[in-house]
């Protein structure tokens, strides 16, 4: 009898939503970002990458999304040919480069 209870408990636990997941309450989910792009409130990530690579030679090794004062800000890490890593903050709505660190 116990062997038949375990699969039922497992099935019930997998069927319930994960209420504690951070991205469930996060305003910056993929869907929210896509909607912002569709509304014209943010440029597509591919376009922002082109803006960064046009100004800085190197390889983008990571991208992080932040929200500062209700603005979406992307932080790109660019590995330059000389081994230095630049951190470039770009406003998602305009593509404006806001800050460059480690230049």
């Amino acid at each position: 009898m116990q062997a038949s209870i375990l699969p039922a408990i497992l099935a019930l636990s997998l069927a319930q939503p994960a209420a504690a997941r951070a991205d469930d309450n996060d305003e910056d989910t993929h869907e929210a970002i896509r909607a912002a792009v569709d509304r014209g409130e943010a440029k597509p990530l591919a376009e922002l990458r082109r803006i960064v690579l046009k100004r800085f030679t190197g390889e983008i090794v990571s991208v992080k999304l932040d929200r500062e004062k209700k603005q979406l800000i992307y932080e790109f890490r660019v590995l330059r040919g000389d081994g230095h890593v630049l951190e470039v903050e770009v406003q998602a709505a305009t593509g404006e480069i806001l800050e460059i660190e480690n230049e």
Side-chain angles (χ1 to χ4, degrees):
M1 186 88 150
Q2 288 180 337
S4 63
I5 294 174
L6 184 59
I9 292 172
L10 181 60
L12 285 174
S13 68
L14 292 175
Q16 295 185 4
R21 285 192 327 193
D23 60 338
D24 285 346
N25 296 319
D26 190 357
E27 293 179 11
D28 298 329
T29 62
H30 291 289
E31 293 81 17
I33 301 303
R34 187 177 312 256
V37 170
D38 290 344
R39 290 189 306 267
E41 296 171 3
K43 293 187 179 294
L45 182 58
E47 185 176 340
L48 297 172
R49 289 175 55 92
R50 282 192 296 272
I51 290 169
V52 170
L53 291 176
K54 189 174 185 179
R55 180 149 173 210
F56 304 99
T57 304
E59 178 183 349
I60 294 175
V61 294
S62 71
V63 180
K64 179 181 170 188
L65 179 64
D66 288 323
R67 185 176 289 275
E68 296 177 11
K69 299 178 185 174
K70 296 189 178 186
Q71 293 183 29
L72 294 174
I73 307 293
Y74 279 96
E75 180 185 284
F76 292 87
R77 290 180 148 222
V78 180
L79 177 62
R80 304 204 40 165
D82 61 4
H84 287 92
V85 176
L86 297 179
E87 294 176 8
V88 182
E89 288 189 3
V90 179
Q91 185 179 34
T94 64
E96 176 186 358
I97 295 176
L98 302 174
E99 185 176 347
I100 305 160
E101 294 182 15
N102 303 326
E103 188 172 34

